[in-house]
């Protein structure tokens, strides 16, 4: 069985799924950071199964921002990459996998924002509004 070692036999299925999701969340968050807390663009792109060019586009950054060492470590680049990681982390329990969470980030129109996606909101700097939206949804509110 693929989740051998995570649970004992007879463990309820819903708890198995929850545990798998938490394992995926922890793995996702741990994978893309260096010891000094910076996000590694290469690792994040690999985790999302995209190229660095696509990562830059998803963050609303120029291609060089995730390709050049001096630019990857800049405050602006790290903030934008961190915003992507934060949104994916918050959506992951609902989406089930990192890839589904990233697909939601890129393509799900949000009615509260006139059909803009989470990606659109991050690109234009409306992350605080997006955080509020995700908090409302997590608390059981509607869109």
């Amino acid at each position: 069985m693929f989740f051998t070692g995570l649970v004992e036999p007879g463990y309820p299925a819903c708890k198995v799924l929850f545990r798998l999701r938490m394992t995926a969340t922890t793995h996702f968050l741990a994978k893309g950071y260096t010891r000094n807390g910076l996000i590694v663009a290469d690792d994040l792109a690999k985790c999302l199964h995209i190229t660095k060019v696509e990562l830059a586009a998803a963050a609303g950054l120029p291609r060089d921002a995730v390709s050049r060492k001096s630019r990857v470590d800049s405050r602006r680049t790290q903030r934008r990459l961190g915003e992507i990681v934060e949104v994916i982390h918050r959506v992951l329990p609902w989406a089930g996998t990192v890839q589904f969470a990233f697909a939601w980030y890129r393509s799900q129109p949000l009615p509260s924002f006139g059909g803009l996606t989470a990606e659109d909101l991050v690109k234009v700097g409306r992350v605080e509004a997006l955080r509020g939206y995700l908090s409302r949804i997590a608390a059981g509110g509607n869109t």
Side-chain angles (χ1 to χ4, degrees), residues 45-87:
K46 285 177 191 171
C47 184
L48 298 173
H49 300 285
I50 60 174
T51 65
K52 287 195 298 186
V53 172
E54 292 169 319
L55 179 62
L61 295 167
R63 178 177 51 171
D64 289 346
V66 295
S67 298
R68 292 189 179 164
K69 174 74 173 136
S70 61
R71 302 267 319 261
V72 170
D73 294 345
S74 76
R75 215 176 253 174
R76 178 177 182 232
T77 301
Q78 287 294 310
R79 186 185 73 240
R80 286 281 177 87
L81 295 178
E83 290 165 353
I84 291 174
V85 169
E86 178 188 356
V87 171

Side-chain angles (χ1 to χ4, degrees), residues 17 20-22 24-25 88 91-101:
L17 290 175
L20 288 171
R21 284 184 182 156
M22 292 303 102
T25 300
I88 291 172
V91 173
L92 192 53
W94 314 332
T97 69
V98 172
Q99 286 72 34
F100 285 142

Side-chain angles (χ1 to χ4, degrees), residues 22-35:
M22 292 303 102
T23 303
T25 300
T26 304
H27 181 69
F28 171 68
L29 289 175
K31 195 168 188 168
Y33 288 90
T34 63
R35 279 187 290 248

